[in-house]
PDB file of all heavy atoms in Angstrom:
ATOM      1  N   ARG C 243     -12.357  31.219  -3.884  1.00  0.00           N
ATOM      2  CA  ARG C 243     -11.933  30.167  -4.830  1.00  0.00           C
ATOM      3  C   ARG C 243     -12.809  28.926  -4.720  1.00  0.00           C
ATOM      4  O   ARG C 243     -13.177  28.295  -5.705  1.00  0.00           O
ATOM      5  CB  ARG C 243     -10.472  29.806  -4.605  1.00  0.00           C
ATOM      6  CG  ARG C 243      -9.523  30.896  -5.017  1.00  0.00           C
ATOM      7  CD  ARG C 243      -8.108  30.566  -4.619  1.00  0.00           C
ATOM      8  NE  ARG C 243      -7.151  31.588  -5.056  1.00  0.00           N
ATOM      9  CZ  ARG C 243      -5.876  31.667  -4.685  1.00  0.00           C
ATOM     10  NH1 ARG C 243      -5.389  30.717  -3.868  1.00  0.00           N
ATOM     11  NH2 ARG C 243      -5.128  32.638  -5.109  1.00  0.00           N
ATOM     12  N   LEU C 244     -13.154  28.558  -3.468  1.00  0.00           N
ATOM     13  CA  LEU C 244     -14.026  27.405  -3.272  1.00  0.00           C
ATOM     14  C   LEU C 244     -15.429  27.643  -3.778  1.00  0.00           C
ATOM     15  O   LEU C 244     -16.161  26.701  -4.143  1.00  0.00           O
ATOM     16  CB  LEU C 244     -14.083  27.069  -1.778  1.00  0.00           C
ATOM     17  CG  LEU C 244     -12.857  26.373  -1.194  1.00  0.00           C
ATOM     18  CD1 LEU C 244     -12.861  26.472   0.345  1.00  0.00           C
ATOM     19  CD2 LEU C 244     -12.798  24.915  -1.631  1.00  0.00           C
ATOM     20  N   ALA C 245     -15.838  28.923  -3.832  1.00  0.00           N
ATOM     21  CA  ALA C 245     -17.174  29.273  -4.340  1.00  0.00           C
ATOM     22  C   ALA C 245     -17.256  29.261  -5.862  1.00  0.00           C
ATOM     23  O   ALA C 245     -18.355  29.299  -6.416  1.00  0.00           O
ATOM     24  CB  ALA C 245     -17.578  30.636  -3.784  1.00  0.00           C
ATOM     25  N   GLU C 246     -16.127  29.191  -6.526  1.00  0.00           N
ATOM     26  CA  GLU C 246     -16.156  29.142  -8.015  1.00  0.00           C
ATOM     27  C   GLU C 246     -16.777  27.835  -8.460  1.00  0.00           C
ATOM     28  O   GLU C 246     -16.562  26.783  -7.832  1.00  0.00           O
ATOM     29  CB  GLU C 246     -14.718  29.256  -8.528  1.00  0.00           C
ATOM     30  CG  GLU C 246     -14.039  30.593  -8.253  1.00  0.00           C
ATOM     31  CD  GLU C 246     -12.565  30.590  -8.615  1.00  0.00           C
ATOM     32  OE1 GLU C 246     -12.084  29.524  -9.077  1.00  0.00           O
ATOM     33  OE2 GLU C 246     -11.932  31.630  -8.459  1.00  0.00           O
ATOM     34  N   PRO C 247     -17.556  27.855  -9.537  1.00  0.00           N
ATOM     35  CA  PRO C 247     -18.245  26.633 -10.017  1.00  0.00           C
ATOM     36  C   PRO C 247     -17.311  25.455 -10.264  1.00  0.00           C
ATOM     37  O   PRO C 247     -17.609  24.313  -9.984  1.00  0.00           O
ATOM     38  CB  PRO C 247     -18.930  27.094 -11.316  1.00  0.00           C
ATOM     39  CG  PRO C 247     -19.108  28.564 -11.131  1.00  0.00           C
ATOM     40  CD  PRO C 247     -17.891  29.039 -10.342  1.00  0.00           C
ATOM     41  N   GLY C 248     -16.098  25.762 -10.761  1.00  0.00           N
ATOM     42  CA  GLY C 248     -15.164  24.687 -11.075  1.00  0.00           C
ATOM     43  C   GLY C 248     -14.624  23.991  -9.868  1.00  0.00           C
ATOM     44  O   GLY C 248     -14.155  22.855  -9.958  1.00  0.00           O
ATOM     45  N   ALA C 249     -14.672  24.628  -8.711  1.00  0.00           N
ATOM     46  CA  ALA C 249     -14.132  24.039  -7.475  1.00  0.00           C
ATOM     47  C   ALA C 249     -14.928  22.795  -7.075  1.00  0.00           C
ATOM     48  O   ALA C 249     -14.364  21.733  -6.820  1.00  0.00           O
ATOM     49  CB  ALA C 249     -14.103  25.049  -6.356  1.00  0.00           C
ATOM     50  N   ARG C 250     -16.243  22.963  -7.019  1.00  0.00           N
ATOM     51  CA  ARG C 250     -17.055  21.807  -6.633  1.00  0.00           C
ATOM     52  C   ARG C 250     -16.962  20.729  -7.675  1.00  0.00           C
ATOM     53  O   ARG C 250     -16.912  19.516  -7.323  1.00  0.00           O
ATOM     54  CB  ARG C 250     -18.505  22.210  -6.415  1.00  0.00           C
ATOM     55  CG  ARG C 250     -19.349  21.019  -5.988  1.00  0.00           C
ATOM     56  CD  ARG C 250     -20.729  21.424  -5.478  1.00  0.00           C
ATOM     57  NE  ARG C 250     -21.348  20.247  -4.889  1.00  0.00           N
ATOM     58  CZ  ARG C 250     -21.927  20.206  -3.695  1.00  0.00           C
ATOM     59  NH1 ARG C 250     -21.956  21.303  -2.937  1.00  0.00           N
ATOM     60  NH2 ARG C 250     -22.492  19.108  -3.270  1.00  0.00           N
ATOM     61  N   ARG C 251     -16.906  21.081  -8.958  1.00  0.00           N
ATOM     62  CA  ARG C 251     -16.806  20.050  -9.996  1.00  0.00           C
ATOM     63  C   ARG C 251     -15.510  19.254  -9.885  1.00  0.00           C
ATOM     64  O   ARG C 251     -15.515  18.036 -10.034  1.00  0.00           O
ATOM     65  CB  ARG C 251     -16.904  20.703 -11.373  1.00  0.00           C
ATOM     66  CG  ARG C 251     -18.296  21.187 -11.763  1.00  0.00           C
ATOM     67  CD  ARG C 251     -18.399  21.374 -13.277  1.00  0.00           C
ATOM     68  NE  ARG C 251     -17.481  22.403 -13.733  1.00  0.00           N
ATOM     69  CZ  ARG C 251     -17.766  23.700 -13.847  1.00  0.00           C
ATOM     70  NH1 ARG C 251     -18.978  24.144 -13.479  1.00  0.00           N
ATOM     71  NH2 ARG C 251     -16.877  24.586 -14.318  1.00  0.00           N
ATOM     72  N   ALA C 252     -14.410  19.952  -9.580  1.00  0.00           N
ATOM     73  CA  ALA C 252     -13.128  19.258  -9.417  1.00  0.00           C
ATOM     74  C   ALA C 252     -13.178  18.294  -8.223  1.00  0.00           C
ATOM     75  O   ALA C 252     -12.719  17.162  -8.314  1.00  0.00           O
ATOM     76  CB  ALA C 252     -12.014  20.250  -9.202  1.00  0.00           C
ATOM     77  N   TRP C 253     -13.758  18.737  -7.118  1.00  0.00           N
ATOM     78  CA  TRP C 253     -13.885  17.908  -5.937  1.00  0.00           C
ATOM     79  C   TRP C 253     -14.744  16.670  -6.226  1.00  0.00           C
ATOM     80  O   TRP C 253     -14.382  15.549  -5.879  1.00  0.00           O
ATOM     81  CB  TRP C 253     -14.486  18.700  -4.781  1.00  0.00           C
ATOM     82  CG  TRP C 253     -14.943  17.860  -3.626  1.00  0.00           C
ATOM     83  CD1 TRP C 253     -14.167  17.183  -2.719  1.00  0.00           C
ATOM     84  CD2 TRP C 253     -16.318  17.584  -3.265  1.00  0.00           C
ATOM     85  NE1 TRP C 253     -14.992  16.523  -1.840  1.00  0.00           N
ATOM     86  CE2 TRP C 253     -16.290  16.751  -2.141  1.00  0.00           C
ATOM     87  CE3 TRP C 253     -17.558  17.994  -3.805  1.00  0.00           C
ATOM     88  CZ2 TRP C 253     -17.462  16.288  -1.549  1.00  0.00           C
ATOM     89  CZ3 TRP C 253     -18.699  17.542  -3.189  1.00  0.00           C
ATOM     90  CH2 TRP C 253     -18.680  16.695  -2.077  1.00  0.00           C
TER      91      TRP C 253
END
Side-chain angles (χ1 to χ4, degrees):
R243 289 174 179 169
L244 284 164
E246 295 172 358
R250 181 167 190 132
R251 286 199 299 269
W253 166 72

